[in-house]
């Protein structure tokens, strides 16, 4: 979304931003995408070269209210092997500052161009300024939101055992550009996704639903996710599915596990430690017992 106002410097900054994200935290990519949508909604539509309409941008942006978090450097729990909390959080803040500066460098030209165009329109109030539009804490909160609400996507090639995703499973080694292989049969796809409805589901160590993704051949068999003629390659839809693990009573809350199957077999104390990042103490039936 750097648009025509950025030029070669903006392109270089975007390349540097992606390189930094891939080397540190791939969640920066997701946060940047939503930040661009926020800018588009404020500035009256997508930047030149963008593909989203202002209407679709508003719909996409509205999903953040489901999962808003404190800035990343404040919202994550301190690992057990870290003795200096202040230094740890300072390192996360520094990473976020570096990422945001690269993103800002890529977008400033297009944002300035859009602000100038808006100011030139008779009767069009321009309430936003460059400083107001680039807010480190807002960007950090988007990173925190994705860190604690993302689903890791891990789909094997067609014909192999189907993969699944668990909440918060993303790591710095994930590469969202893997999604470019989705149209190719036989590719292993690994990435990260954000699903507002799934993010509204609470955790339980004794969940009544399972969250997973389906390989394309299973989606085609079910009649969903694979559009086009029968002889076209199978395409991954990136849809997430929720399946009941047992009979669920009318009015009973749907709960999923933020932990993977092996982690659910740990002791209550160990599970509670793993859940610290989410900011709650689990009081499900399994933990209470």
């Amino acid at each position: 979304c750097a648009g025509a106002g950025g030029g070669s410097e903006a392109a270089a900054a975007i390349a540097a931003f992606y390189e930094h994200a891939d080397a540190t935290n791939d969640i920066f990519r997701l946060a940047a995408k939503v930040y661009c949508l926020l800018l588009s909604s404020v500035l009256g539509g997508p930047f030149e070269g963008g593909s989203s309409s202002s209407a679709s941008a508003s719909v996409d942006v509205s999903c953040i209210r489901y999962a808003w978090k404190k800035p990343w450097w404040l919202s994550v729990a301190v690992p057990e092997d870290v003795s200096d909390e202040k230094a740890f959080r300072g390192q996360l803040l520094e990473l976020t500052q570096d990422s945001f500066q690269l993103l800002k460098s890529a977008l400033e030209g297009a944002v300035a161009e859009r602000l100038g165009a808006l100011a030139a329109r008779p009767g069009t109030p321009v309430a936003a300024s460059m400083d107001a539009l680039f807010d480190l804490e807002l960007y950090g909160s988007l990173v925190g939101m994705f860190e604690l609400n993302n689903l890791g996507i891990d789909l094997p090639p067609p014909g192999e055992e189907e993969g699944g995703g668990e909440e918060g499973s993303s790591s710095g080694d994930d590469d969202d550009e893997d999604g470019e292989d989705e149209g190719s049969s036989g590719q292993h796809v690994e990435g990260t996704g954000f699903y507002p409805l799934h993010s509204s589901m609470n955790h339980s160590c004794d969940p009544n639903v399972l969250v997973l993704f389906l390989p394309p051949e299973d989606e085609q068999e079910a009649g969903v996710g694979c559009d086009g003629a029968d002889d076209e390659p199978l395409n991954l839809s990136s849809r997430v599915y929720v399946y009941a693990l047992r009979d669920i009573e009318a009015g009973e809350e749907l709960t999923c596990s933020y932990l993977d199957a092996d982690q659910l077999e740990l002791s209550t104390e160990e599970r509670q430690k793993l859940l610290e990042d989410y900011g709650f103490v689990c009081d499900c039936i399994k933990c209470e017992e």
Side-chain angles (χ1 to χ4, degrees):
C1 65
S8 60
E9 291 184 3
I14 281 291
F17 171 84
Y18 286 146
E19 183 177 354
H20 178 268
D22 292 342
T24 57
N25 187 352
D26 65 336
I27 297 298
F28 288 144
R29 286 174 170 264
L30 288 173
K33 181 177 181 180
V34 174
Y35 204 94
C36 288
L37 289 172
L38 286 168
L39 288 176
S40 296
S41 66
V42 171
L43 297 175
F47 294 111
E48 185 175 343
S51 58
S52 299
S53 67
S54 57
S56 64
S58 298
V59 172
D60 292 337
V61 167
S62 71
C63 75
I64 66 176
R65 73 177 186 272
Y66 289 98
W68 193 249
K69 294 291 184 295
K70 293 179 181 179
W72 178 45
W73 57 88
L74 296 177
S75 60
V76 298
V78 179
E80 285 186 348
D81 59 350
V82 172
S83 58
D84 190 337
E85 178 179 352
K86 183 177 181 180
F88 170 73
R89 297 197 183 281
Q91 290 173 352
L92 298 185
L93 171 58
E94 186 176 344
L95 283 175
T96 310
Q97 289 172 327
D98 291 344
S99 173
F100 188 59
Q101 185 56 49
L102 290 169
L103 180 65
K104 183 179 179 181
S105 297
L107 298 178
E108 278 181 322
V111 170
E113 185 179 88
R114 178 59 58 85
L115 285 173
L118 290 175
R121 294 178 184 175
T124 302
V126 181
S129 66
M130 288 289 287
D131 289 340
L133 289 172
F134 290 101
D135 187 322
L136 175 65
E137 187 163 327
L138 171 60
Y139 181 69
S141 294
L142 291 173
V143 176
M145 177 185 76
F146 285 122
E147 276 287 351
L148 299 182
N149 292 278
N150 67 296
L151 272 175
I153 303 172
D154 189 359
L155 286 165
E160 294 187 12
E161 183 179 353
E162 66 187 50
E166 67 271 5
E167 186 157 358
S169 65
S170 172
S171 70
D173 294 330
D174 287 344
D175 186 352
D176 290 329
E177 285 188 325
D178 286 343
E180 293 176 359
D181 293 331
E182 289 185 357
S184 302
S185 179
Q187 294 290 335
H188 176 207
V189 176
E190 185 178 358
T192 302
F194 176 71
Y195 298 84
L197 183 58
H198 162 264
S199 295
S200 300
M201 296 176 64
N202 286 323
H203 163 83
S204 172
C205 298
D206 183 30
N208 55 20
V209 301
L210 175 67
V211 178
L212 51 78
F213 297 86
L214 291 181
E217 62 268 25
D218 288 353
E219 283 201 324
Q220 188 178 59
E221 184 177 345
V224 296
C226 298
D227 301 325
D230 292 338
D231 58 350
E232 291 183 356
L234 296 177
N235 296 314
L236 300 175
S237 71
S238 297
R239 286 185 174 91
V240 64
Y241 296 86
V242 175
Y243 287 89
L245 293 172
R246 56 174 173 79
D247 291 340
I248 300 174
E249 300 292 333
E252 181 181 354
E253 180 183 7
L254 301 181
T255 58
C256 63
S257 173
Y258 298 175
L259 306 176
D260 61 33
D262 292 336
Q263 291 171 330
L264 287 176
E265 298 302 317
L266 298 173
S267 67
T268 299
E269 182 179 355
E270 290 172 316
R271 294 197 309 275
Q272 297 285 8
K273 189 66 179 176
L274 292 171
L275 291 168
E276 284 184 353
D277 268 349
Y278 297 99
F280 65 86
V281 176
C282 183
D283 60 356
C284 69
I285 294 176
K286 187 172 181 179
C287 288
E288 291 295 315
E289 291 177 347

